[in-house]
Amino acid sequence: MKVLSLYVENDTFIHKLEPITKLLYALISIVITFLFPSIMVGAVFVAFSLLLAISAKVFKRMLLLLNVVLIVLLSMVIIQGLFYRQNVTPAFKLWGLTFYKEGLLYSLLLIVRVVNMIISFGVLILTTRPSDLVDNLVQKGLSPRFGYVLASVLQIIPQMLSTTSTITDAQRSRGLETEGNLFQRFSAFFALLGPLVLNSLVEARERAMAIEIRGFSVEGKRTFVRQIPETKADRWIKISLYVAFIVAVVWRIILWVM
Amino acid sequence: MGDVSTKISIEHLTYKYPFAKNVSLEDITLSIDAGQSIGIIGRNGAGKSTLCYVLSGLIPRFFHGKITGKVTIDGEDVPTMPVEKLIRKVGLVLQNPFSQISGAKMTVYEEVAFGLENLGIEKDEMHERIDTVLRQFDLYKKKDENPFELSGGQLQRLAIASVLVLKPEILILDEPTSQLDPRGTTEVFETISQLKTLGITILIVEHKFEKLVEYVDKIALLHEGKLLGYDTAEHIFSTSEIETYGVGQPIYTALCKRMGLKKANGYYPVSFGETVALLNGLKGSGMDRRTYNG
Amino acid sequence: MAKNSKLTTAILVLIPVAVGINYAGKLFASALKLPLWLDSIGTMLSAVLAGPIVGAISGAINNIIYGLTTDPVSFVYALTSIGIGVSVGFLAKGKMFNNAFRTLLSGLIVALVATVISVPINVVFWGGQTGNVWGDALFAFLQSKNVGIWVSSFFDEIVVDLVDKVLCVFITFGIFKALPKTLVYTFKGEE
Ligand SMILES: Nc1ncnc2c1ncn2[C@@H]1O[C@H](COP(=O)(O)OP(=O)(O)OP(=O)(O)O)[C@@H](O)[C@H]1O
Ligand SMILES: [Mg+2]
């Protein structure tokens, strides 16, 4: 693993959209599902986000992402179904435990929100080269120094983790206790992390010097070797997203006032 | 003779790192002509890297601390020169090929572009320059690969290419081959000999003396922060004190010292070629060749 | 070579390394089957080295990157990580790590900060749960006893955070004290 990324290379319509467009969709769909305490609204967005995932040919990968939170979602149904504070109407009984309608509906609301969050961000992550997202943000005004941090994180971490296996092996061969009691294992933790931290800080200093020498701190106009184009489709999608967002906020305010 | 001009001038340079007990450079004075190649030698902690950092402006911009004396390039003061200008004059290549990669770029091509983007070089010129250096360093075939997938030698060539694409007039290399295998070392030295023909002024810190002496015009010997010698390789290595500084010497010089073989000019040979020539000369003058063939 | 900006190049390069240390901590902890996360040591170290702002940035980026690459839910807990970075940064400035007792106290404060920030997030996103088995069992128990959701969620979170954060704080300081001074100063934010 050279780059920390879930990007799946392909050539679909979604892949070709500007990264910022996809980011905007994720953010706005999340905000809207949280603005409205409605399972319907959430379900509509989940369905739409899924449609995007399917058309980007990343449906299977998406299931893997969802798998991560599956247990928590299930435990939510159980805990809320049993113990939600506003539980009054019994829905069904299982092994002598009473599940209530209010709690089940509440957990369902939580679930559609979280699932939409994962799928809409998933579409962005699975269909966007991470460095393109960063370049795109920098070209739209994010500080290039900050952009550097985001872009380098994705490569530096796998680099560091590949050295961890070297360090683990080296320490094992010196008789490091990785099995023993809790105290021994804590000392082992120290012995593993200490050298890694020292090494990485020394390397970080060198890297800082190396990029300084290549003009990282020169102020003034920058150019980009990869220009991320904004297509017509991007522009239309962005406009519709802004409109949807404004409509949602206004509607929400009206509901509050009334 | 063409007009040789002084490129780098250092006068009474003294420097101490923050939190350090002792100075790392002490009263260094030396000057380097344009187009020359200079080897810098000295044992661990002698101050070689520190000197490289002063010349490339990292001291005092990156490492603060106390610097006195005068350092100029083309007559301009290095510590106060605007960074944009300094970067176009001096390039620096460090020891560890991995930590020199910016880490922010996903392909070799974009990695080389990093410095150009920072300097705001226009796109057409950028592509042209990148293509040129990638071909020059035999990396063109690798241009779409992730930098971290390259071998050590390729990575070090990439580091040199990424610096040279900014077209510096001076290139400083701080132990560029110490983490490379023999093949990677050869790759880097071949690159350096190419650069010499382009008229670039080169400073190189190197422990592999047999290689070094083939490529440099002069050698600067540092010891505990002081400059103990600045002369041609045969002058530097022929002295008997050289061993006391803990730097070692080319294997050929050591051999000839042991056998008491000097060149006609009174100095010991430093390279393979010189040694062979000397031995052949001896053979011609009637010595029994079997003595030397074992 | 930026003279006036606080975020020097060395500090910017430190941030990815801090996130990497978080990852490595988590990795080692699970490899050694330690019953804790130990995944905020990098954030804390960056805060000790370069101050609260850098701690906050490292924390935020940690969760953004984790969200982008493994688990999108971690985005929202960026706030917690920011809180950890900021509090450690200020505690370090206030010399709250000079001896073992103060360090312990600092650990407790950090755990409390992390909990106070996480609880509302837990309530909004998960109806109060944390996703940790022990914590959630306690949560279910408290809910069944009709304890309020906020209080239940608070206990759910703090049983998990207390030991973890206190240990992270001690480990961070153990490592920091062992680093050479000449290396440490490179990453100091300008005063
Ligand atoms: N960042 C630093 N802070 C304080 N002292 C330093 C720093 N870097 C180097 N030194 C000290 O300065 C002196 C010269 O170090 P320098 O790295 O220049 O030596 P060198 O000749 O390059 O050695 P090596 O062959 O090991 O690379 C040494 O005594 C070293 O301990
Ligand atoms: Mg050195």
Side-chain angles (χ1 to χ4, degrees):
Chain A
M1 182 180 58
K2 292 292 169 193
V3 184
L4 204 61
S5 154
L6 300 172
Y7 173 55
V8 183
E9 204 166 334
N10 210 324
D11 204 24
T12 71
F13 173 72
I14 309 282
H15 279 81
K16 278 185 270 189
L17 286 175
E18 209 188 348
I20 283 192
T21 309
K22 295 179 252 184
L23 178 65
L24 207 64
Y25 170 73
L27 292 176
I28 290 183
S29 78
I30 291 169
V31 169
I32 293 179
T33 54
F34 276 89
L35 274 180
F36 293 92
S38 144
I39 296 175
M40 261 312 287
V41 172
V44 166
F45 274 100
V46 168
F48 192 72
S49 301
L50 261 184
L51 218 67
L52 294 179
I54 292 166
S55 70
K57 302 196 176 123
V58 290
F59 183 68
K60 267 200 199 128
R61 289 292 190 112
M62 195 64 81
L63 292 183
L64 291 177
L65 273 186
L66 287 168
N67 200 18
V68 176
V69 290
L70 193 66
I71 306 275
V72 185
L73 295 184
L74 275 177
S75 75
M76 237 150 67
V77 175
I78 296 168
I79 292 181
Q80 301 297 351
L82 292 173
F83 307 123
Y84 185 50
R85 296 280 301 235
Q86 276 131 38
N87 276 349
V88 278
T89 333
F92 58 88
K93 271 196 176 205
L94 203 65
W95 301 308
L97 296 169
T98 314
F99 283 80
Y100 293 87
K101 194 173 150 223
E102 289 79 6
L104 290 174
L105 285 176
Y106 180 56
S107 68
L108 196 60
L109 175 65
L110 294 174
I111 287 171
V112 287
R113 283 173 175 173
V114 170
V115 168
N116 174 62
M117 183 166 104
I118 292 171
I119 302 180
S120 60
F121 259 107
V123 169
L124 168 71
I125 297 158
L126 294 172
T127 68
T128 311
R129 208 168 158 257
S131 67
D132 281 357
L133 173 60
V134 176
D135 280 353
N136 198 191
L137 289 169
V138 172
Q139 280 159 30
K140 286 282 145 65
L142 180 76
S143 136
R145 291 173 74 81
F146 200 67
Y148 170 83
V149 175
L150 290 179
S152 64
V153 164
L154 298 169
Q155 300 215 85
I156 302 299
I157 293 175
Q159 217 46 49
M160 281 175 66
L161 295 188
S162 72
T163 45
T164 58
S165 60
T166 331
I167 293 177
T168 325
D169 292 345
Q171 299 285 18
R172 277 230 179 85
S173 67
R174 284 196 286 170
L176 185 88
E177 201 62 64
T178 52
E179 311 289 297
N181 64 33
L182 206 58
F183 180 75
Q184 285 169 323
R185 282 182 284 145
F186 264 114
S187 345
F189 184 86
F190 247 106
L192 289 172
L193 198 65
L196 177 78
V197 171
L198 182 62
N199 270 340
S200 345
L201 289 180
V202 171
E203 281 194 7
R205 179 167 68 185
E206 278 175 29
R207 190 171 312 110
M209 288 158 57
I211 62 175
E212 285 286 82
I213 287 300
R214 289 160 70 191
F216 183 63
S217 294
V218 170
E219 277 157 35
K221 189 176 76 76
R222 287 187 189 220
T223 44
F224 299 94
V225 74
R226 271 176 79 92
Q227 197 78 41
I228 314 285
E230 182 183 48
T231 63
K232 244 203 185 112
D234 284 307
R235 232 163 300 146
W236 281 111
I237 296 172
K238 279 186 211 165
I239 292 174
S240 355
L241 283 170
Y242 288 130
V243 171
F245 179 67
I246 293 168
V247 169
V249 171
V250 171
W251 191 3
R252 180 75 246 210
I253 292 171
I254 292 173
L255 283 180
W256 252 322
V257 175
M258 291 192 338
Chain B
M1 290 208 37
D3 50 332
V4 177
S5 60
T6 301
K7 190 78 185 165
I8 302 171
S9 154
I10 303 174
E11 285 167 40
H12 304 293
L13 168 67
T14 297
Y15 174 72
K16 183 168 161 298
Y17 283 101
F19 297 99
K21 287 193 196 76
N22 305 310
V23 295
S24 293
L25 293 175
E26 191 177 342
D27 198 23
I28 306 258
T29 297
L30 107 169
S31 82
I32 297 168
D33 292 338
Q36 269 193 323
S37 309
I38 307 297
I40 301 173
I41 66 170
R43 71 163 178 217
N44 288 350
K48 307 179 294 294
S49 299
T50 308
L51 184 60
C52 296
Y53 301 160
V54 172
L55 289 174
S56 56
L58 286 170
I59 293 172
R61 293 176 182 82
F62 186 86
F63 294 101
H64 305 281
K66 196 161 169 267
I67 183 167
T68 56
K70 205 166 175 232
V71 182
T72 60
I73 291 176
D74 294 331
E76 282 187 74
D77 189 49
V78 174
T80 57
M81 196 187 298
V83 181
E84 298 91 299
K85 194 164 186 184
L86 186 57
I87 283 167
R88 289 179 160 93
K89 285 201 185 285
V90 188
L92 173 66
V93 175
L94 302 166
Q95 180 173 1
N96 181 346
F98 284 94
S99 57
Q100 289 178 79
I101 300 304
S102 76
K105 300 293 187 179
M106 288 175 69
T107 66
V108 166
Y109 196 91
E110 291 164 38
E111 177 66 25
V112 178
F114 181 82
L116 299 171
E117 291 179 326
N118 290 336
L119 295 181
I121 306 290
E122 288 310 326
K123 215 166 169 178
D124 293 339
E125 192 185 343
M126 186 143 63
H127 287 301
E128 197 185 303
R129 284 207 207 175
I130 298 172
D131 287 346
T132 310
V133 290
L134 285 180
R135 292 220 167 78
Q136 190 181 351
F137 293 102
D138 197 18
L139 286 167
Y140 197 77
K141 277 182 292 232
K142 305 267 171 196
K143 73 183 168 65
D144 295 319
E145 280 182 33
N146 188 302
F148 288 104
E149 261 148 30
L150 300 183
S151 72
Q154 291 167 340
L155 210 47
Q156 195 60 292
R157 282 202 319 245
L158 172 61
I160 300 176
S162 304
V163 166
L164 278 180
V165 78
L166 305 174
K167 299 195 170 165
E169 295 155 19
I170 301 165
L171 182 66
I172 304 175
L173 304 110
D174 188 3
E175 303 193 32
T177 70
S178 70
Q179 307 207 348
L180 303 183
D181 57 13
R183 189 196 154 125
T185 304
T186 308
E187 283 176 10
V188 168
F189 271 105
E190 272 164 12
T191 305
I192 292 168
S193 73
Q194 268 184 50
L195 299 179
K196 271 186 77 165
T197 62
L198 296 176
I200 295 180
T201 308
I202 297 172
L203 277 84
I204 174 167
V205 178
E206 183 58 67
H207 287 298
K208 291 169 186 155
F209 299 142
E210 292 78 16
K211 280 266 183 213
L212 183 69
V213 293
E214 312 243 349
Y215 295 90
V216 296
D217 302 313
K218 272 183 173 178
I219 285 185
L221 168 63
L222 288 177
H223 185 68
E224 291 177 353
K226 292 192 265 299
L227 181 69
L228 294 190
Y230 180 48
D231 214 327
T232 58
E234 57 180 24
H235 278 84
I236 294 284
F237 289 117
S238 287
T239 59
S240 50
E241 309 95 81
I242 187 79
E243 278 149 72
T244 60
Y245 304 130
V247 289
Q249 50 194 334
I251 181 88
Y252 310 111
T253 316
L255 184 76
C256 292
K257 277 187 185 169
R258 189 71 172 274
M259 303 195 342
L261 293 176
K262 285 187 182 180
K263 294 190 290 182
N265 62 5
Y267 294 106
Y268 293 105
V270 291
S271 67
F272 178 70
E274 279 182 352
T275 312
V276 169
L278 181 63
L279 291 178
N280 279 335
L282 288 176
K283 188 176 69 186
S285 71
M287 284 194 55
D288 186 349
R289 72 186 290 189
R290 266 172 303 169
T291 318
Y292 300 103
N293 281 353
Chain C
M1 306 192 190
K3 266 172 242 134
N4 297 321
S5 88
K6 271 193 166 181
L7 292 176
T8 62
T9 301
I11 288 176
L12 293 178
V13 175
L14 170 69
I15 293 168
V17 169
V19 177
I21 295 171
N22 287 344
Y23 268 66
K26 197 184 174 85
L27 209 77
F28 288 143
S30 73
L32 293 169
K33 303 192 196 70
L34 294 171
L36 295 161
W37 296 314
L38 303 182
D39 62 351
S40 46
I41 296 168
T43 303
M44 293 186 182
L45 190 65
S46 70
V48 175
L49 285 169
I53 297 170
V54 177
I57 298 174
S58 301
I61 291 187
N62 177 73
N63 285 53
I64 291 171
I65 295 303
Y66 205 72
L68 282 176
T69 55
T70 333
D71 175 10
V73 174
S74 113
F75 277 119
V76 290
Y77 290 95
L79 285 174
T80 312
S81 293
I82 291 173
I84 293 171
V86 170
S87 54
V88 171
F90 277 115
L91 289 166
K93 275 201 165 162
K95 306 212 186 319
M96 276 298 287
F97 295 97
N98 282 3
N99 55 45
F101 175 72
R102 283 192 180 190
T103 309
L104 177 66
L105 204 64
S106 299
L108 296 175
I109 294 173
V110 175
L112 196 69
V113 169
T115 303
V116 165
I117 300 175
S118 296
V119 166
I121 300 176
N122 295 341
V123 170
V124 172
F125 281 86
W126 308 105
Q129 291 177 237
T130 57
N132 175 286
V133 188
W134 302 110
D136 283 351
L138 178 65
F139 178 79
F141 173 76
L142 290 172
Q143 286 279 284
S144 72
K145 293 280 175 261
N146 258 335
V147 178
I149 183 169
W150 290 89
V151 178
S152 306
S153 186
F154 179 84
F155 282 105
D156 181 344
E157 183 74 36
I158 201 145
V159 289
V160 181
D161 267 342
L162 205 58
V163 185
D164 188 61
K165 296 300 172 290
V166 170
L167 263 173
C168 279
V169 162
F170 270 98
I171 293 168
T172 303
F173 260 80
I175 290 175
F176 175 74
K177 291 265 158 68
L179 292 173
K181 247 205 150 82
T182 50
L183 180 61
V184 164
Y185 86 85
T186 320
F187 300 104
K188 265 216 167 77
E190 260 132 87
E191 302 298 302

